[in-house]
Amino acid sequence: MNQLYWYHSVHSSKDIPSVIRHFKLIFDLTLFKTCSGVAVHLNSAAMDSRTKFVLLWMLLSSTSTGIKLDGNGYVDVIIAIGAKVPQDDRLIDIIKDMVTEGSVYLYEALDKKVYFKEATILVPSHWKSKNVTKSLHSYIIIDNANSTYGDQPYTKQYGECGTMAEYIHFTPEYLLNDAVIQLYGLRGRVFVHEWAHLRWGVYDEYNKEKPFYHSNGRIEATRCSKNIEGQFYEVTAGGSLQPCHIDPQTSLPTDKCKFFPDRNQNTNSSLMSLPSLDSVSTFCRKNEHNNKAPNLQNEKCDNKATWTVIFEDSVDKDALQTLKPLESPPPPPSFKVVQRAQRVVCLILDVSGSMEGARILQQRQAATHFLRYIIEDQASVGIVTFSTSASTLRSLTIIDSDITRETLVQLLPKRASGSTNMCLGLSQGLHVLQKDNGDVLGDEIIFLTDGQATDNIAGCAPSAIQSGAIISTIAFSNSAAQALTEMADKTGGIFFIAKDDMISNQLMDAFASLTLSTGDYTNEPVQLESVGARTSDWFNGTVSVDQTVGNKTSFVIIYEIRFPSIYIQSPSGSIYTQTNMSHDGLLKTVTLNIPGTAEPGDWKYSIQTTSNQAFTITVTSQAAHDDVPPIIVKTHMNQQFSDGTKPMTVFAEVSQNYRPVINAEVWATLESETGSEHTLQLLDNGAGADAFQGDGIYSRYFTKIVNGRNSLKVRVKNQGGQTRFAVQKNSGAPYVPGYVVNGVVQLNPPKPPVSEEPLEVGNFTRTATGESFVVKLSGTTPPNFPPNRITDLSAEIQEDTVLLSWTAPGEDLDQGTAKSYEIRWSFDLDMLRNSFSNGHVVNTAAVSPHEAGSVEQHSFNLSFPIQNGTTLFFAVQSEDEQNAKSETSNIAQASKILHGPKPPGTILYMCFNLLINGQITASL
């Protein structure tokens, strides 16, 4: 029986926090102690009806699966410890201390408006614990370090400014080793720094790539606010200090020059710049924001202050504007410590009359694939069918062997008839799920149907949504009920559409995507190939099995009419034919299971037929080694519902154990339920829809949107290309090399070295299916989008010539070719940002835009000599054939700095003393 016991660190049972729907709850009379504190157990028989009702209401009242504000307090903050992290009970206490400390800093940082109210710590299944839960989604991860970040905390962030990031990553070593406090500051402060990235979508105000810049003839440190004071030195290999040298090419300090802030400051901002300073307790506001600093906050957020983004652009903007400050300090957060349980899944399958023939066969084929290769060991699976009535084909059964899997496969329905009573199917499925422990909280339903409900699905869907089950739905045809989308959306499930056209392979892809990640990708199936075709001749292809996969590799070929001739060749030349494969004539499926670990390299398949028929091939595999996670692909849209007013973006993340995989070839196919299909190459170039170049996130705008439900599928490959693992560039906690105390620099230990060399990746192939999305346009034609905003404009002054560089936008966002550019400049950044048309215009008559994604450069002379020490600001707008203009680009700045003549052999260096009134005192 699955159990969840409630852990908390408060003093009385009345403080038991509200329950999110993914938790399993049972009532027991026992009271016992654990590593996390006191466990409160309630006896079901002893509770009065009022208590039961209140607890039930608490369980069902939550309809969202993410972090949210409950009054002034953040709740549903899930912190997950990675599956590969060995048990160490100290982690629990340190995590609690970090969040509790962070709550105090958060309360002070935002004018006493918010704090951390409730948090849940999710421990791995191999830890000794009796307290289980299911399907929690965590935005805060405690996991082993990746080779490029080491133990530095960071946040995976690639959305627009003001949007939530993907996750925060802390390492166990960061939490257990107090020496890191010297490097990054107190853990509670660092937690708030990363929380701001995660929750509010702000960016760092320091920049390790551009630590200095010119401003009005002076050298400034990249920081916010400019009132932060300190000294600048180079640290020699022996640990001594020497004056900073100047790079003659940039007239800025070399990359060996470091900033050492004063330990005691007269400013309280900013947490996104130097959270380790004791005096720093809040975020930069508009009146103190350093909008000229070359940092990501200015680049990504249109030079806005972090405070402005948090209160005007973030997911919490409405709440933060209306919340009143608390009259007294908030209580410490309450905590629950729970453990992930094994999955409990019920397949609810449509066997109504419209499913007869090819559809019922495709349903069997896809469900068979799910039961044989996708659902993990030790999960519990039940099977329900519905038509005029509903039936239980199998009650919950633990997947404990291949024999059990085959038993379930043989029970899958083979015939279809009758009406489509979806409510009966839902009710029967929920009944099956209740059999294990009396409730369905956190259990999963996979609900497939091909038509409109005969009964009132709109009437029974709300009760299914409120049941606490996670309902993933598959609309198998374009006539499937619209309620499927709502059920998936409101329960944390996934919605898929699947054409009944066999060669799309969409139904197989949908079932293959219904995995539940525990963070341990070494035990999860990876889809290497999924493709279909119709032919009367040969159907050939290549699948690359890379070094990270190879175990449990299977080739599944589905044919439409006649058993074809099949040849599969290994990289070393071994040939597998029908004699090596299993053939199920009723299922029209041929399967090759590679024994042991599949040989790495290119596997070639050839399928020959003499009759015109459709084929699909699906190849899955798992990690080759327990300690080496596979390369994985995740894909999604930035919106699941669109009315066409805001551009839609396709994202695909290619990574291996948190390391980005770059220079891969990534293609997305988006297909509407009416058959309209568009293929886009996704790019990792840091322009257009893509936030950062070389971060393993491949992106593109989707402009050809059409009304209805749409599917998303991504194919990734590297076959003889330049794909490699790259050094990450995500936002992270700033390392401080030391502090100035009473005028003397006190050095911190050096930052532990991490891998800086990109590693080549061999040939590999992957496919991934994202959740389907819905478009509802006010008209029938897609909107006309202007060219995308240019986000990588850079400027350089060479004597009296200005050189601008940027990535070309498109006619429609990042596709096609824009009609023209408008370039303007100013001495005043704010004027150019707020009133672009009032800037000085640059003659662009000779500039012809290139295709989107191309590198653009334009050099020109101004109408006056540029004086030494001058800083200029530049911006660009683009225009399309319908005269629609893009948003103003990022503001690029350039300074002209000329040094006097130097005697031969003189070493040019700059000695930095102090920051006085926000300016660097320097001498050449």
Side-chain angles (χ1 to χ4, degrees):
M1 177 179 290
N2 294 316
Q3 301 177 345
L4 175 69
Y5 300 94
W6 294 101
Y7 288 87
H8 58 96
S9 60
V10 294
H11 300 292
S12 66
S13 61
K14 69 180 181 180
D15 294 318
I16 296 176
S18 61
V19 186
I20 68 171
R21 71 165 180 269
H22 294 297
F23 289 1
K24 275 289 186 185
L25 176 66
I26 70 161
F27 303 111
D28 198 334
L29 192 57
T30 312
L31 179 68
F32 61 93
K33 288 185 69 176
T34 70
C35 63
S36 61
V38 177
V40 177
H41 288 215
L42 302 174
N43 189 321
S44 180
M47 289 190 298
D48 60 29
S49 59
R50 180 179 178 276
T51 305
K52 290 180 180 179
F53 174 79
V54 170
L55 284 170
L56 181 62
W57 178 85
M58 290 167 66
L59 286 167
L60 301 183
S61 61
S62 174
T63 58
S64 71
T65 58
I67 300 163
K68 57 180 176 288
L69 271 170
D70 178 12
N72 295 76
Y74 283 104
V75 298
D76 295 350
V77 178
I78 313 299
I79 303 168
I81 299 177
K84 293 291 188 180
V85 175
Q87 179 159 359
D88 190 330
D89 294 338
R90 292 178 299 163
L91 282 173
I92 302 294
D93 293 329
I94 294 171
I95 291 169
K96 288 181 177 181
D97 290 343
M98 178 177 69
V99 177
T100 301
E101 183 181 286
S103 183
V104 176
Y105 292 128
L106 184 64
Y107 167 72
E108 295 292 342
L110 288 190
D111 287 350
K112 304 180 179 181
K113 286 193 171 187
V114 292
Y115 67 102
F116 295 119
K117 185 176 182 179
E118 298 171 3
T120 297
I121 302 171
L122 181 64
V123 302
S125 59
H126 64 82
W127 283 32
K128 293 181 180 179
S129 177
K130 296 181 180 179
N131 318 288
V132 298
T133 186
K134 299 175 185 173
S135 298
L136 259 67
H137 177 71
S138 173
Y139 289 100
I140 303 167
I141 300 168
I142 314 298
D143 207 353
N144 296 322
N146 67 64
S147 59
T148 55
Y149 255 91
D151 293 312
Q152 179 187 16
Y154 70 92
T155 300
K156 187 70 173 180
Q157 189 174 14
Y158 56 80
E160 295 179 354
C161 177
T163 60
M164 273 195 69
E166 297 303 299
Y167 58 81
I168 299 171
H169 183 184
F170 295 106
T171 68
E173 180 65 18
Y174 169 79
L175 295 173
L176 295 171
N177 181 6
D178 286 344
V180 300
I181 294 175
Q182 275 188 283
L183 306 183
Y184 304 110
L186 294 173
R187 293 188 184 95
R189 290 176 173 271
V190 172
F191 185 59
V192 174
H193 174 93
E194 299 304 328
W195 177 267
H197 287 308
L198 174 74
R199 183 65 180 173
W200 303 315
V202 298
Y203 286 84
D204 285 324
E205 291 170 327
Y206 72 95
N207 190 338
K208 65 180 181 180
E209 305 295 330
K210 299 178 182 178
F212 307 103
Y213 68 102
H214 292 289
S215 179
N216 298 323
R218 296 183 176 91
I219 294 177
E220 294 278 5
T222 301
R223 68 205 190 281
C224 191
S225 73
K226 289 169 67 176
N227 294 323
I228 293 175
E229 300 179 351
Q231 299 181 17
F232 293 76
Y233 291 100
E234 292 181 9
V235 182
T236 67
S240 61
L241 302 177
Q242 66 179 24
C244 290
H245 290 69
I246 289 294
D247 184 338
Q249 299 298 318
T250 64
S251 298
L252 290 172
T254 65
D255 57 5
K256 294 183 179 180
C257 186
K258 306 299 180 185
F259 172 54
F260 298 89
D262 289 353
R263 174 57 92 176
N264 298 313
Q265 299 283 342
N266 294 318
T267 181
N268 65 353
S269 65
S270 165
L271 285 166
M272 301 314 294
S273 183
L274 280 168
S276 60
L277 294 176
D278 293 339
S279 67
V280 170
S281 60
T282 188
F283 300 94
C284 259
R285 305 189 187 217
K286 184 176 181 180
N287 64 339
E288 59 188 352
H289 176 55
N290 183 6
N291 63 0
K292 297 178 182 178
N295 55 38
L296 284 177
Q297 174 62 24
N298 284 329
E299 178 183 330
K300 298 299 182 184
C301 298
D302 196 20
N303 300 84
K304 293 180 182 179
T306 51
W307 186 276
T308 303
V309 173
I310 293 169
F311 277 81
E312 297 182 7
D313 300 326
S314 77
V315 66
D316 293 328
K317 61 182 179 182
D318 294 333
L320 292 173
Q321 290 172 12
T322 57
L323 281 174
K324 294 182 179 180
L326 294 169
E327 295 181 357
S328 60
S334 61
F335 293 93
K336 298 184 291 286
V337 178
V338 295
Q339 186 176 47
R340 190 184 300 276
Q342 297 295 341
R343 290 177 79 182
V344 177
V345 181
C346 184
L347 301 180
I348 303 180
L349 306 176
D350 188 346
V351 292
S352 62
S354 57
M355 288 287 292
E356 183 61 29
R359 288 182 181 176
I360 195 73
L361 176 60
Q362 289 183 54
Q363 180 176 257
R364 281 182 62 212
Q365 292 164 342
T368 295
H369 186 68
F370 176 79
L371 293 171
R372 282 179 177 165
Y373 303 109
I374 306 302
I375 190 70
E376 59 269 34
D377 290 338
Q378 301 305 313
S380 295
V381 179
I383 303 174
V384 165
T385 60
F386 68 92
S387 58
T388 305
S389 60
S391 302
T392 300
L393 302 187
R394 184 75 172 195
S395 58
L396 291 176
T397 302
I398 297 176
I399 305 291
D400 55 7
S401 66
D402 288 343
I403 294 174
T404 302
R405 292 178 184 272
E406 289 305 313
T407 299
L408 293 172
V409 166
Q410 295 306 314
L411 291 171
L412 291 171
K414 303 176 179 63
R415 297 180 179 83
S417 65
S419 56
T420 311
N421 289 313
M422 296 186 189
C423 291
L424 293 179
L426 280 171
S427 177
Q428 189 73 11
L430 292 170
H431 178 72
V432 167
L433 292 175
Q434 287 177 332
K435 288 296 185 179
D436 66 337
N437 59 359
D439 67 56
V440 302
L441 289 168
D443 292 341
E444 296 175 65
I445 287 174
I446 299 174
F447 188 92
L448 182 150
T449 184
D450 75 334
Q452 296 291 332
T454 305
D455 51 5
N456 182 19
I457 183 65
C460 67
S463 61
I465 290 169
Q466 290 296 318
S467 70
I470 303 164
I471 306 174
S472 293
T473 57
I474 302 173
F476 190 27
S477 82
N478 57 12
S479 62
Q482 296 295 324
L484 301 182
T485 309
E486 181 183 11
M487 286 194 294
D489 178 55
K490 292 188 175 181
T491 65
I494 307 174
F495 167 69
F496 295 104
I497 64 168
K499 292 169 53 178
D500 55 7
D501 174 15
M502 178 181 166
I503 64 173
S504 71
N505 215 29
Q506 288 179 347
L507 194 59
M508 288 280 285
D509 293 338
F511 272 95
S513 301
L514 291 167
T515 59
L516 178 65
S517 176
T518 63
D520 181 10
Y521 293 103
T522 59
N523 292 319
E524 296 180 19
V526 177
Q527 193 173 72
L528 308 186
E529 179 67 288
S530 169
V531 66
R534 179 175 293 278
T535 183
S536 57
D537 196 1
W538 286 95
F539 176 35
N540 304 314
T542 299
V543 180
S544 296
V545 175
D546 57 280
Q547 298 281 355
T548 68
V549 294
N551 286 347
K552 299 183 179 179
T553 302
S554 66
F555 290 74
V556 177
I557 297 96
I558 297 174
Y559 60 91
E560 183 182 22
I561 303 171
R562 291 189 179 89
F563 182 29
S565 298
I566 303 173
Y567 306 90
I568 297 177
Q569 179 177 313
S570 73
S572 61
S574 298
I575 304 294
Y576 296 85
T577 63
Q578 287 93 323
T579 58
N580 309 108
M581 306 174 191
S582 61
H583 175 221
D584 187 330
L586 295 177
L587 207 57
K588 296 186 177 178
T589 301
V590 184
T591 304
L592 171 63
N593 293 316
I594 306 297
T597 302
E599 180 184 348
D602 289 345
W603 288 70
K604 298 179 180 180
Y605 58 85
S606 297
I607 304 172
Q608 185 186 31
T609 180
T610 57
S611 60
N612 185 23
Q613 62 174 326
F615 298 98
T616 65
I617 181 166
T618 305
V619 184
T620 58
S621 188
Q622 291 191 19
H625 308 282
D626 290 340
D627 58 346
V628 180
I631 295 172
I632 60 172
V633 178
K634 300 177 182 178
T635 183
H636 70 278
M637 304 295 296
N638 68 328
Q639 306 169 66
Q640 294 308 128
F641 302 90
S642 174
D643 60 3
T645 58
K646 182 180 179 181
M648 299 199 75
T649 306
V650 191
F651 293 108
E653 179 181 3
V654 188
S655 65
Q656 189 258 343
N657 196 31
Y658 301 109
R659 294 189 299 176
V661 176
I662 64 171
N663 299 337
E665 187 177 335
V666 182
W667 292 86
T669 300
L670 303 104
E671 186 173 0
S672 73
E673 58 189 345
T674 57
S676 175
E677 182 178 308
H678 297 279
T679 301
L680 293 171
Q681 183 173 11
L682 308 186
L683 304 175
D684 185 17
N685 62 353
D690 194 62
F692 297 102
Q693 182 177 10
D695 67 347
I697 309 296
Y698 299 77
S699 318
R700 203 73 182 270
Y701 287 115
F702 177 44
T703 61
K704 306 297 184 182
I705 57 178
V706 295
N707 271 318
R709 297 178 288 196
N710 298 260
S711 65
L712 166 64
K713 183 173 181 176
V714 165
R715 297 176 59 83
V716 181
K717 68 177 181 178
N718 173 47
Q719 292 176 324
Q722 299 298 314
T723 302
R724 60 188 63 238
F725 297 117
V727 176
Q728 297 223 27
K729 300 179 180 179
N730 294 300
S731 301
Y735 162 72
V736 180
Y739 300 96
V740 179
V741 180
N742 297 324
V744 178
V745 173
Q746 295 183 356
L747 293 176
N748 281 333
K751 182 180 177 181
V754 295
S755 172
E756 296 288 342
E757 289 295 325
L759 303 175
E760 291 188 4
V761 178
N763 287 1
F764 74 94
T765 55
R766 296 289 189 274
T767 64
T769 299
E771 184 171 5
S772 299
F773 58 97
V774 179
V775 175
K776 292 185 178 179
L777 302 175
S778 56
T780 57
T781 58
N784 174 49
F785 291 110
N788 66 263
R789 176 178 181 257
I790 295 169
T791 58
D792 61 349
L793 179 67
S794 64
E796 182 181 351
I797 295 177
Q798 302 170 341
E799 297 184 351
D800 286 331
T801 298
V802 177
L803 174 64
L804 300 181
S805 301
W806 67 93
T807 301
E811 166 76 7
D812 294 313
L813 297 173
D814 59 1
Q815 292 157 56
T817 304
K819 182 182 72 173
S820 62
Y821 295 122
E822 181 178 353
I823 302 174
R824 292 182 181 268
W825 68 272
S826 175
F827 293 105
D828 185 344
L829 182 150
D830 288 328
M831 190 279 290
L832 195 61
R833 172 174 170 257
N834 298 322
S835 183
F836 175 79
S837 60
N838 289 329
H840 301 285
V841 68
V842 174
N843 186 348
T844 58
V847 181
S848 296
H850 294 85
E851 185 179 0
S854 304
V855 175
E856 300 274 35
Q857 288 190 328
H858 180 54
S859 61
F860 56 93
N861 293 321
L862 299 178
S863 58
F864 61 90
I866 303 174
Q867 299 298 315
N868 189 26
T870 300
T871 298
L872 302 177
F873 302 92
F874 305 87
V876 181
Q877 284 186 352
S878 314
E879 190 172 297
D880 67 12
E881 293 293 342
Q882 284 74 41
N883 300 320
K885 289 188 175 182
S886 71
E887 297 178 40
T888 303
S889 71
N890 65 295
I891 308 297
Q893 65 184 67
S895 298
K896 182 176 181 179
I897 303 295
L898 298 176
H899 299 291
K902 300 177 291 297
T906 298
I907 298 176
L908 180 65
Y909 67 89
M910 180 171 283
C911 178
F912 294 97
N913 299 316
L914 296 174
L915 288 168
I916 300 176
N917 297 324
Q919 303 296 339
I920 295 176
T921 300
S923 59
L924 283 174

